[in-house]
Amino acid sequence: MTQVIIDAPHRTRELLLQSGAQVAAGEGLAGLSVNRVVAVAGVAKGTFYVHFPDREAFVDALHERFHAQVGEAVAAASAATEPGAEQIWRGAEAYLDVCLEYPAIKALALEVRTEGALTASMARRHERAGAAAVPSFRAMGWPDARAASQLLGAMTAEIAIRELDAGRRLPGARRALRRFLGANATDDSNGGGR
Amino acid sequence: MTQVIIDAPHRTRELLLQSGAQVAAGEGLAGLSVNRVVAVAGVAKGTFYVHFPDREAFVDALHERFHAQVGEAVAAASAATEPGAEQIWRGAEAYLDVCLEYPAIKALALEVRTEGALTASMARRHERAGAAAVPSFRAMGWPDARAASQLLGAMTAEIAIRELDAGRRLPGARRALRRFLGANATDDSNGGGR
DNA sequence: TGTACATCAGTGAACGCGCGTTCACTGATGTAC
DNA sequence: TGTACATCAGTGAACGCGCGTTCACTGATGTAC
């Protein structure tokens, strides 16, 4: 109970961020207006500016939060594996699964690229995430590991968007991704799970 | 000279579309407002609505035009080759080269996906373009040819964006794409060109 | 315990702005007689 | 050749709207004495 009191100063900020995620999930990044966020949160417009200097900082905060969540999930899934094709594959699957749980990711991690509103820190986060598979590609002997990692990111994002639109996993798309990675086995070794 | 007179009825419409491409190239899809377009074209705001029922129809017309241009270039580059890895590769290179010539493509073919403003006909065009490599993947024996073609599109678009940002070809990225296609040769057979 | 003051999250009316769209009007061009 | 009329691309002021941001204010809470 004391925790609730201690957390009180951050409660409204948290409420705004959660409302922002909800709006982003439903309306996309372009629909993520201060008006909509405060309406969902049920607070006055001025309250928004008590917690965030401007809209950009708010979007940036959401971006940071979701990148961190996805990054943790991917890292956890890859940790037990050595760099290589299998680690890439596990990371990609973890990424796709976590995306399916958080529809706001579509707006925050994927749409964000195209808006003119790409903050420097958002670009940095994207670049860092896109380079996550570099060690694995190096271990696999790819000469252009950096570029390969970015293209992997593009493919994974494409699948994520399509899976979010479909509302479910798309095994065919995942199989195609796996084949691009050089694992030409046609059997689905992940078929047992779920 | 008579041609100029005959074309007169469409001249302003053409001017608006060219101005739209220019604005899209500089400001992106979100910055492609009726105000900006008519300002660049040097016509009154009302003139816009003489030629287009609304902004959406205008964006759709631009989208159609650019998709057609890129489609022709890709088809021309692929025509002499049988479906297969080589045809995919030639098509992708043609796509990337034509993108570098038309900066507006970034907004019109790539950003368009994320906006909420995706017309039905724009979605159809995108889907059709994304399926262009299906026969080649089938010929290569891929079981998920449709998904593979879409992922190829995602990778090619990613490279196109990066090349447009860099203002030049990025050979490392193109090499990585080629390797994803299964051509593990490290030599660049296209090195002689240009 | 009671009173005066400081702090600060929260409020909501008001602002200027750019947006997409409308519409009564203009004026050049073509046609009819 | 001259006059009356029809057509229609082009005009630009005006509209309502949602946007991001500001700011004087409120009122609950904590602190000092």
Side-chain angles (χ1 to χ4, degrees):
Chain A
M1 276 303 158
T2 40
Q3 281 182 334
V4 174
I5 295 167
I6 290 166
D7 289 342
H10 295 299
R11 232 172 36 200
T12 305
R13 187 187 146 94
E14 190 59 33
L15 175 65
L16 285 167
L17 286 169
Q18 281 171 16
S19 303
Q22 185 180 326
V23 172
E27 315 285 341
L29 186 62
L32 185 60
S33 69
V34 177
N35 280 350
R36 279 212 178 94
V37 171
V38 297
V40 169
V43 300
K45 225 170 163 181
T47 307
F48 180 90
Y49 291 92
V50 172
H51 296 280
F52 302 96
D54 50 31
R55 180 187 178 273
E56 187 178 284
F58 179 70
V59 174
D60 195 278
L62 280 171
H63 190 253
E64 181 179 31
R65 162 170 302 211
F66 276 81
H67 256 262
Q69 277 187 38
V70 174
E72 276 173 33
V74 172
S78 319
T81 326
E82 293 294 301
E86 187 60 23
Q87 191 186 73
I88 291 175
W89 176 244
R90 292 200 185 185
E93 283 235 294
Y95 179 88
L96 292 172
D97 288 341
V98 80
C99 278
L100 266 173
E101 288 175 47
Y102 298 102
I105 285 178
K106 185 181 172 187
L108 292 168
L110 311 175
E111 294 189 13
V112 129
R113 290 214 60 197
T114 64
E115 286 273 316
L118 192 72
T119 316
S121 57
M122 287 163 73
R124 219 179 304 124
R125 265 176 234 125
H126 181 83
E127 212 57 38
R128 212 159 58 84
V134 169
S136 286
F137 279 109
R138 269 204 232 288
M140 292 162 71
W142 286 52
D144 304 286
R146 194 156 205 93
S149 185
Q150 286 161 355
L151 295 186
L152 169 74
M155 284 193 284
T156 316
E158 175 74 19
I159 299 176
I161 290 176
R162 291 188 180 268
E163 290 194 341
L164 278 165
D165 285 346
R168 60 178 184 86
R169 295 181 181 179
L170 297 174
R174 295 191 180 197
R175 256 181 274 128
L177 172 62
R178 189 157 199 192
R179 180 142 178 169
F180 273 117
L181 288 171
N184 288 7
T186 48
D187 69 312
D188 185 5
S189 74
N190 190 58
R194 189 160 191 220
Chain B
M1 274 304 157
T2 40
Q3 282 182 333
V4 173
I5 295 167
I6 290 165
D7 289 341
H10 295 299
R11 230 170 41 197
T12 305
R13 188 188 146 93
E14 190 57 37
L15 175 64
L16 284 166
L17 286 169
Q18 281 171 17
S19 303
Q22 185 180 327
V23 172
E27 315 286 341
L29 186 61
L32 185 60
S33 69
V34 177
N35 281 350
R36 279 211 178 95
V37 171
V38 296
V40 168
V43 299
K45 226 170 163 181
T47 306
F48 180 90
Y49 291 92
V50 172
H51 296 280
F52 302 96
D54 50 30
R55 179 187 178 273
E56 187 177 285
F58 179 70
V59 174
D60 195 277
L62 280 170
H63 189 252
E64 181 178 32
R65 162 171 300 213
F66 276 82
H67 256 264
Q69 277 188 38
V70 174
E72 277 174 32
V74 172
S78 319
T81 326
E82 294 292 302
E86 187 61 23
Q87 191 186 71
I88 292 175
W89 175 245
R90 291 200 186 184
E93 283 233 296
Y95 178 89
L96 291 171
D97 288 341
V98 80
C99 278
L100 266 173
E101 287 175 47
Y102 298 103
I105 284 179
K106 186 181 172 186
L108 292 169
L110 311 175
E111 295 188 13
V112 128
R113 290 214 61 195
T114 64
E115 287 271 319
L118 193 72
T119 317
S121 56
M122 287 164 74
R124 219 178 305 124
R125 266 176 233 124
H126 180 84
E127 212 58 39
R128 213 159 58 85
V134 169
S136 286
F137 279 111
R138 268 203 233 289
M140 292 162 70
W142 286 52
D144 303 285
R146 193 156 204 93
S149 185
Q150 286 161 355
L151 296 187
L152 170 73
M155 284 192 284
T156 315
E158 174 75 19
I159 300 176
I161 292 176
R162 290 188 181 269
E163 289 194 342
L164 277 166
D165 286 345
R168 60 178 184 88
R169 294 181 183 180
L170 297 174
R174 295 191 179 197
R175 256 181 273 129
L177 172 62
R178 189 155 201 194
R179 179 144 181 166
F180 272 117
L181 288 172
N184 286 6
T186 48
D187 70 311
D188 185 6
S189 73
N190 191 57
R194 192 164 191 210

